[in-house]
Amino acid sequence: MASAAPALTRTETDSLGSMEIPADAYWGIHTARADANFPITKRPISVYPDLVIALAMVKQASARANKEIGVLDAERADLIDRAAQRVIDGEFHDQFTVGVIQGGAGTSTNMNANEVITNIALEMAGREKGDYAFLSPIDHTNRSQSTNDVYPTAVKIGLSLTLHSMLEELDLLRRSFLRKAGEFHDVLKVGRTQLQDAVPMTLGQEFHGFATTLGYDHQRLSENAALMFEVNMGATAIGTGITTHGDYAPAVLKHLRQITDLDLATASDLVEATSDTGSFMSFSSSIKRNAIKLSKICNDLRLLSSGPQAGLGEINLPAMQAGSSIMPGKVNPVIPEVVNQVAFAVVGADMTVTMAVEAGQLQLNAFEPVIAHSIFQSITWMRQAMWTLRVNCVDGITANRDRLGAMVGASVGVITALTPFIGYAAAAALAKTALLTNRNVADLVVEAGLMSREEVIKQLSPARLSGLEAVTAAIPIIAPEDLEI
């Protein structure tokens, strides 16, 4: 006799009724309803792996805490613990299917995690998926918990994990600019203020400035990471801790700290911590700061590489792709351009976070899903933007040394280096003459008898022009009318 074909579905029931669930699915009826209700972004929460891992960490810590304080038997607690570990290790992420934007303050995400971890545990126990009489997603996996403490805690842990990888990429980008600063340390160029010629500097100094500002951002972001370390586990629904054992909050915190290796702390006022989402706004703002500063650097790279014939043309960016369907040979600065666009998106996401934080009401903010999505997206895009900027642009930048040298030689800005010796008035008059006659400033100074050729050459050395070697001297009083030009 032929064996019966395996069932294609299983029946699950909730307070609204029953549904047929695919037999091989690890998610259940609550996830199925959310998938039907929120087909908005077409992006499941699994697009943010660190959020999925963080959810599993919270469930694992809760199982251990519940076992420790005696509100969950060892067999079930251990099964949940082991199932959660498999999710932490990267398995079953495709089962986290609910959309990143959802109503319900994250309830769908929490239920998705409860169902997946429960059904993994059931399978490990040799039981059928959906055998919730033995192990329940709500009574056991969600024991001592509410969406309102699980979800924000998981989001904070997930953001901390994601930020760590972004900070690693930010430091690599900083180091890339620093290497270019060393490579260009002796390349003189004309500095600019308000897009007008200013005084000379080195290209190395310019790139060192880029590295330094990224280093400051790394410090600020690292400091603001601590905003994510205060959690409200044990608060349950509104912060009163209803349905929890008195020992649960300290126990779950202990296990969360061990599992995540983060310096987590329980909020001193769980009612306030459950209703307030201001820490997300401050955290988002620090990411926006980094995005804006990185965008400014990319603006500079585009300006410095403009041309190559009719622009500044001071540096050469790596040619990454053809730039036009109509102009042969045109190559555009596509890598800095994409980073600019990521920065624009981060600014918009930060505004979304701000509005969502403001929209909270009474004991809960229902809009944490869009807060989480906005910040996760910003960090993810920034990390990837920094990677492509480093690998596909900064590492391959070269200096157009001949052009830079010619511009410095023809620049009247070099006369600023001589003002300590000939005075501002005389320098201004000579600069005006140089512009009108297109003559070399050094020649005009020598011809006016203000300095010897040797002294001019000495003071216009690259080290002194770039300020690496500061020189001051008594300034003689020389009036413009005294000059013989």
Side-chain angles (χ1 to χ4, degrees):
M1 176 184 293
S3 59
L8 297 178
T9 64
R10 64 178 187 267
T11 303
E12 291 197 13
T13 302
D14 65 4
S15 59
L16 300 183
S18 298
M19 290 183 68
E20 293 300 304
I21 305 298
D24 59 351
Y26 290 86
W27 44 264
I29 189 171
H30 297 285
T31 301
R33 292 198 190 280
D35 286 341
N37 289 336
F38 312 123
I40 311 300
T41 63
K42 301 299 183 182
R43 299 177 70 184
I45 58 173
S46 59
V47 299
Y48 303 125
D50 287 331
L51 175 57
V52 173
I53 289 170
L55 286 162
M57 287 177 166
V58 171
K59 297 301 173 182
Q60 185 178 59
S62 292
R64 292 180 183 181
N66 285 326
K67 174 184 174 182
E68 179 181 317
I69 65 178
V71 301
L72 190 61
D73 64 275
E75 180 184 10
R76 290 181 174 85
D78 289 343
L79 280 170
I80 295 167
D81 189 336
R82 290 164 54 206
Q85 186 61 50
R86 293 182 69 180
V87 176
I88 293 169
D89 292 339
E91 294 185 69
F92 304 102
H93 283 211
D94 63 332
Q95 298 296 306
F96 289 78
T97 61
V98 298
V100 291
I101 303 296
Q102 56 192 249
T107 298
S108 298
T109 294
N110 184 39
M111 294 302 291
N112 193 171
N114 287 332
E115 290 174 337
V116 171
I117 290 171
T118 297
N119 281 308
I120 295 170
L122 285 169
E123 190 173 67
M124 293 171 67
R127 294 175 176 268
E128 295 292 326
K129 298 184 187 71
D131 184 6
Y132 299 149
F134 174 75
L135 186 66
S136 165
I138 297 176
D139 292 334
H140 301 123
T141 304
N142 198 61
R143 185 67 185 267
S144 306
Q145 304 152 62
S146 163
T147 291
N148 301 345
D149 55 2
V150 167
Y151 187 76
T153 297
V155 168
K156 288 180 175 181
I157 292 170
L159 288 174
S160 298
L161 299 175
T162 299
L163 180 67
H164 179 72
S165 63
M166 175 184 146
L167 287 174
E168 289 180 338
E169 192 56 56
L170 176 57
D171 190 57
L172 289 172
L173 181 60
R174 181 190 67 83
R175 292 172 184 272
S176 181
F177 276 112
L178 206 56
R179 285 192 297 273
K180 287 299 169 180
E183 182 181 336
F184 302 147
H185 75 280
D186 60 342
V187 182
L188 271 179
K189 61 161 287 177
V190 176
R192 294 178 184 83
T193 57
Q194 295 156 278
L195 293 180
Q196 304 301 302
D197 297 347
V199 297
M201 64 186 302
T202 67
L203 191 60
Q205 288 173 314
E206 192 163 29
F207 274 71
H208 193 279
F210 296 155
T212 299
T213 199
L214 293 178
Y216 289 150
D217 277 352
H218 193 286
Q219 293 173 17
R220 298 292 86 76
L221 285 163
S222 298
E223 292 166 1
N224 282 330
L227 293 169
M228 298 294 100
F229 293 167
E230 184 181 87
V231 299
N232 70 329
M233 288 302 294
T236 62
I238 63 171
T240 61
I242 191 170
T243 73
T244 62
H245 188 284
D247 295 330
Y248 172 77
V252 76
L253 177 67
K254 178 186 70 175
H255 289 294
L256 263 181
R257 288 170 63 94
Q258 292 172 348
I259 292 166
T260 64
D261 199 28
L262 296 173
D263 191 21
L264 303 174
T266 301
S268 59
D269 186 330
L270 290 179
V271 171
E272 186 277 340
T274 304
S275 63
D276 181 66
T277 51
S279 60
F280 290 121
M281 184 168 60
S282 298
F283 186 72
S284 175
S285 179
S286 67
I287 299 167
K288 180 184 70 173
R289 165 191 158 126
N290 180 218
I292 291 299
K293 293 172 70 175
L294 190 62
S295 187
K296 187 271 179 188
I297 290 172
C298 287
N299 291 341
D300 288 352
L301 294 178
R302 291 191 295 117
L303 280 171
L304 294 173
S305 65
S306 60
Q309 294 172 304
L312 297 185
E314 295 188 2
I315 62 174
N316 307 301
L317 305 184
M320 300 308 297
Q321 62 188 66
S324 175
S325 62
I326 189 173
M327 293 174 280
K330 192 173 190 295
V331 177
N332 297 323
V334 294
I335 304 301
E337 286 173 351
V338 77
V339 177
N340 287 136
Q341 292 173 79
V342 167
F344 306 157
V346 170
V347 172
D350 181 66
M351 177 56 74
T352 298
V353 171
T354 301
M355 296 306 297
V357 168
E358 185 276 337
Q361 296 168 320
L362 303 178
Q363 278 66 62
L364 184 67
N365 189 309
F367 307 109
E368 287 184 3
V370 77
I371 292 174
H373 166 57
S374 298
I375 303 177
F376 271 111
Q377 175 179 281
S378 291
I379 296 177
T380 302
W381 286 15
M382 283 288 288
R383 180 183 66 234
Q384 293 166 184
M386 287 187 281
W387 178 87
T388 196
L389 182 63
R390 172 174 60 89
V391 173
N392 293 322
C393 183
V394 177
D395 285 348
I397 291 175
T398 58
N400 197 337
R401 292 174 180 259
D402 291 341
R403 182 171 176 82
L404 288 165
M407 285 194 286
V408 171
S411 172
V412 298
V414 299
I415 202 167
T416 302
L418 305 180
T419 55
F421 306 96
I422 65 175
Y424 184 89
L430 290 173
K432 182 178 180 180
T433 300
L435 287 170
L436 290 173
T437 63
N438 203 30
R439 293 193 61 199
N440 184 278
V441 167
D443 292 339
L444 292 174
V445 172
V446 173
E447 290 175 11
L450 299 176
M451 298 177 71
S452 68
R453 176 70 64 180
E454 292 73 20
E455 188 62 22
V456 170
I457 292 173
K458 177 181 178 181
Q459 300 306 327
L460 297 185
S461 68
R464 296 191 178 184
L465 279 179
S466 61
L468 297 176
E469 202 176 90
V471 179
T472 59
I475 302 176
I477 305 300
I478 304 174
E481 58 268 19
D482 296 332
L483 297 175
E484 296 180 3
I485 300 174

